[in-house]
mmCIF file of all heavy atoms in Angstrom:
data_model
loop_
_atom_site.group_PDB
_atom_site.id
_atom_site.type_symbol
_atom_site.label_atom_id
_atom_site.label_comp_id
_atom_site.label_asym_id
_atom_site.label_seq_id
_atom_site.Cartn_x
_atom_site.Cartn_y
_atom_site.Cartn_z
ATOM 1 N N SER A 156 -35.803 16.936 -15.790
ATOM 2 C CA SER A 156 -34.883 16.859 -16.927
ATOM 3 C C SER A 156 -35.565 17.248 -18.237
ATOM 4 O O SER A 156 -34.957 17.932 -19.073
ATOM 5 C CB SER A 156 -34.265 15.471 -17.042
ATOM 6 O OG SER A 156 -33.371 15.246 -15.958
ATOM 7 N N PRO A 157 -36.827 16.808 -18.500
ATOM 8 C CA PRO A 157 -37.452 17.257 -19.768
ATOM 9 C C PRO A 157 -37.565 18.763 -19.893
ATOM 10 O O PRO A 157 -37.476 19.322 -20.975
ATOM 11 C CB PRO A 157 -38.852 16.586 -19.694
ATOM 12 C CG PRO A 157 -38.639 15.402 -18.814
ATOM 13 C CD PRO A 157 -37.671 15.878 -17.771
ATOM 14 N N VAL A 158 -37.735 19.459 -18.729
ATOM 15 C CA VAL A 158 -37.874 20.916 -18.738
ATOM 16 C C VAL A 158 -36.527 21.585 -18.903
ATOM 17 O O VAL A 158 -36.339 22.451 -19.745
ATOM 18 C CB VAL A 158 -38.568 21.378 -17.418
ATOM 19 C CG1 VAL A 158 -38.621 22.909 -17.411
ATOM 20 C CG2 VAL A 158 -39.972 20.765 -17.315
ATOM 21 N N PHE A 159 -35.565 21.163 -18.075
ATOM 22 C CA PHE A 159 -34.250 21.843 -18.026
ATOM 23 C C PHE A 159 -33.320 21.378 -19.115
ATOM 24 O O PHE A 159 -32.517 22.143 -19.628
ATOM 25 C CB PHE A 159 -33.624 21.692 -16.664
ATOM 26 C CG PHE A 159 -34.364 22.393 -15.569
ATOM 27 C CD1 PHE A 159 -34.903 21.690 -14.492
ATOM 28 C CD2 PHE A 159 -34.559 23.759 -15.592
ATOM 29 C CE1 PHE A 159 -35.590 22.335 -13.470
ATOM 30 C CE2 PHE A 159 -35.231 24.433 -14.568
ATOM 31 C CZ PHE A 159 -35.729 23.714 -13.530
ATOM 32 N N HIS A 160 -33.316 20.085 -19.429
ATOM 33 C CA HIS A 160 -32.318 19.507 -20.330
ATOM 34 C C HIS A 160 -32.868 18.996 -21.631
ATOM 35 O O HIS A 160 -32.114 18.624 -22.524
ATOM 36 C CB HIS A 160 -31.576 18.357 -19.615
ATOM 37 C CG HIS A 160 -31.060 18.718 -18.262
ATOM 38 N ND1 HIS A 160 -30.171 19.733 -18.072
ATOM 39 C CD2 HIS A 160 -31.310 18.156 -17.028
ATOM 40 C CE1 HIS A 160 -29.886 19.817 -16.762
ATOM 41 N NE2 HIS A 160 -30.530 18.896 -16.115
ATOM 42 N N GLY A 161 -34.189 18.936 -21.764
ATOM 43 C CA GLY A 161 -34.777 18.450 -23.003
ATOM 44 C C GLY A 161 -34.690 16.930 -23.166
ATOM 45 O O GLY A 161 -34.877 16.418 -24.276
ATOM 46 N N ILE A 162 -34.419 16.218 -22.093
ATOM 47 C CA ILE A 162 -34.331 14.746 -22.131
ATOM 48 C C ILE A 162 -35.749 14.185 -22.021
ATOM 49 O O ILE A 162 -36.458 14.440 -21.022
ATOM 50 C CB ILE A 162 -33.493 14.194 -20.992
ATOM 51 C CG1 ILE A 162 -32.035 14.736 -21.132
ATOM 52 C CG2 ILE A 162 -33.473 12.670 -21.023
ATOM 53 C CD1 ILE A 162 -31.281 14.244 -22.323
ATOM 54 N N SER A 163 -36.172 13.423 -22.989
ATOM 55 C CA SER A 163 -37.515 12.837 -22.986
ATOM 56 C C SER A 163 -37.467 11.345 -22.741
ATOM 57 O O SER A 163 -36.372 10.729 -22.728
ATOM 58 C CB SER A 163 -38.164 13.103 -24.341
ATOM 59 O OG SER A 163 -37.486 12.412 -25.365
ATOM 60 N N THR A 164 -38.611 10.736 -22.562
ATOM 61 C CA THR A 164 -38.645 9.269 -22.370
ATOM 62 C C THR A 164 -38.167 8.555 -23.631
ATOM 63 O O THR A 164 -37.601 7.478 -23.546
ATOM 64 C CB THR A 164 -40.087 8.826 -22.047
ATOM 65 O OG1 THR A 164 -40.995 9.338 -23.030
ATOM 66 C CG2 THR A 164 -40.503 9.320 -20.662
ATOM 67 N N ASP A 165 -38.393 9.161 -24.816
ATOM 68 C CA ASP A 165 -37.872 8.584 -26.060
ATOM 69 C C ASP A 165 -36.353 8.546 -26.055
ATOM 70 O O ASP A 165 -35.709 7.592 -26.505
ATOM 71 C CB ASP A 165 -38.374 9.348 -27.263
ATOM 72 C CG ASP A 165 -39.853 9.131 -27.532
ATOM 73 O OD1 ASP A 165 -40.407 8.104 -27.028
ATOM 74 O OD2 ASP A 165 -40.465 9.938 -28.246
ATOM 75 N N SER A 166 -35.735 9.638 -25.531
ATOM 76 C CA SER A 166 -34.288 9.700 -25.470
ATOM 77 C C SER A 166 -33.751 8.613 -24.544
ATOM 78 O O SER A 166 -32.715 8.012 -24.799
ATOM 79 C CB SER A 166 -33.851 11.076 -24.963
ATOM 80 O OG SER A 166 -34.272 12.116 -25.816
ATOM 81 N N VAL A 167 -34.469 8.432 -23.450
ATOM 82 C CA VAL A 167 -34.046 7.400 -22.493
ATOM 83 C C VAL A 167 -34.121 6.021 -23.135
ATOM 84 O O VAL A 167 -33.197 5.205 -22.967
ATOM 85 C CB VAL A 167 -34.947 7.461 -21.228
ATOM 86 C CG1 VAL A 167 -34.654 6.276 -20.304
ATOM 87 C CG2 VAL A 167 -34.719 8.759 -20.476
ATOM 88 N N ALA A 168 -35.176 5.750 -23.844
ATOM 89 C CA ALA A 168 -35.342 4.408 -24.470
ATOM 90 C C ALA A 168 -34.231 4.117 -25.485
ATOM 91 O O ALA A 168 -33.869 2.971 -25.673
ATOM 92 C CB ALA A 168 -36.711 4.352 -25.184
ATOM 93 N N GLN A 169 -33.635 5.175 -26.075
ATOM 94 C CA GLN A 169 -32.579 4.977 -27.057
ATOM 95 C C GLN A 169 -31.194 5.051 -26.440
ATOM 96 O O GLN A 169 -30.183 5.031 -27.136
ATOM 97 C CB GLN A 169 -32.714 6.030 -28.149
ATOM 98 C CG GLN A 169 -34.008 5.918 -28.943
ATOM 99 C CD GLN A 169 -34.202 7.103 -29.879
ATOM 100 O OE1 GLN A 169 -33.256 7.747 -30.293
ATOM 101 N NE2 GLN A 169 -35.472 7.392 -30.221
ATOM 102 N N GLY A 170 -31.135 5.168 -25.105
ATOM 103 C CA GLY A 170 -29.855 5.332 -24.434
ATOM 104 C C GLY A 170 -29.120 4.034 -24.211
ATOM 105 O O GLY A 170 -29.399 2.979 -24.830
ATOM 106 N N GLN A 171 -28.147 4.095 -23.310
ATOM 107 C CA GLN A 171 -27.318 2.931 -22.958
ATOM 108 C C GLN A 171 -27.381 2.687 -21.437
ATOM 109 O O GLN A 171 -27.814 3.581 -20.691
ATOM 110 C CB GLN A 171 -25.849 3.157 -23.351
ATOM 111 C CG GLN A 171 -25.613 3.329 -24.833
ATOM 112 C CD GLN A 171 -24.141 3.525 -25.142
ATOM 113 O OE1 GLN A 171 -23.269 3.156 -24.395
ATOM 114 N NE2 GLN A 171 -23.866 4.153 -26.313
ATOM 115 N N SER A 172 -26.955 1.525 -21.032
ATOM 116 C CA SER A 172 -26.909 1.241 -19.584
ATOM 117 C C SER A 172 -25.813 2.119 -18.963
ATOM 118 O O SER A 172 -24.832 2.528 -19.628
ATOM 119 C CB SER A 172 -26.577 -0.225 -19.341
ATOM 120 O OG SER A 172 -25.228 -0.505 -19.738
ATOM 121 N N LEU A 173 -25.982 2.441 -17.689
ATOM 122 C CA LEU A 173 -24.992 3.256 -16.999
ATOM 123 C C LEU A 173 -23.634 2.554 -16.989
ATOM 124 O O LEU A 173 -22.603 3.198 -17.122
ATOM 125 C CB LEU A 173 -25.450 3.554 -15.573
ATOM 126 C CG LEU A 173 -24.587 4.546 -14.791
ATOM 127 C CD1 LEU A 173 -24.441 5.859 -15.525
ATOM 128 C CD2 LEU A 173 -25.167 4.777 -13.394
ATOM 129 N N GLN A 174 -23.652 1.252 -16.832
ATOM 130 C CA GLN A 174 -22.398 0.462 -16.851
ATOM 131 C C GLN A 174 -21.663 0.677 -18.161
ATOM 132 O O GLN A 174 -20.433 0.913 -18.188
ATOM 133 C CB GLN A 174 -22.705 -1.036 -16.665
ATOM 134 C CG GLN A 174 -21.526 -1.945 -16.799
ATOM 135 C CD GLN A 174 -20.787 -2.202 -15.514
ATOM 136 O OE1 GLN A 174 -21.334 -2.020 -14.436
ATOM 137 N NE2 GLN A 174 -19.517 -2.579 -15.623
ATOM 138 N N SER A 175 -22.383 0.632 -19.263
ATOM 139 C CA SER A 175 -21.783 0.819 -20.587
ATOM 140 C C SER A 175 -21.224 2.234 -20.736
ATOM 141 O O SER A 175 -20.095 2.420 -21.267
ATOM 142 C CB SER A 175 -22.822 0.533 -21.679
ATOM 143 O OG SER A 175 -22.272 0.812 -22.968
ATOM 144 N N ILE A 176 -21.983 3.212 -20.250
ATOM 145 C CA ILE A 176 -21.496 4.615 -20.324
ATOM 146 C C ILE A 176 -20.231 4.775 -19.532
ATOM 147 O O ILE A 176 -19.260 5.418 -20.005
ATOM 148 C CB ILE A 176 -22.587 5.582 -19.820
ATOM 149 C CG1 ILE A 176 -23.835 5.492 -20.675
ATOM 150 C CG2 ILE A 176 -22.083 7.002 -19.766
ATOM 151 C CD1 ILE A 176 -25.044 6.243 -20.103
ATOM 152 N N LEU A 177 -20.204 4.240 -18.326
ATOM 153 C CA LEU A 177 -19.068 4.394 -17.466
ATOM 154 C C LEU A 177 -17.835 3.671 -18.008
ATOM 155 O O LEU A 177 -16.693 4.138 -17.844
ATOM 156 C CB LEU A 177 -19.403 3.862 -16.052
ATOM 157 C CG LEU A 177 -20.457 4.636 -15.291
ATOM 158 C CD1 LEU A 177 -20.794 3.932 -13.999
ATOM 159 C CD2 LEU A 177 -19.990 6.073 -15.021
#
Side-chain angles (χ1 to χ4, degrees):
S156 291
V158 176
F159 293 119
H160 309 302
I162 300 292
S163 66
T164 52
D165 287 342
S166 301
V167 172
Q169 297 172 25
Q171 298 180 22
S172 69
L173 186 56
Q174 174 89 22
S175 176
I176 297 171
L177 295 174

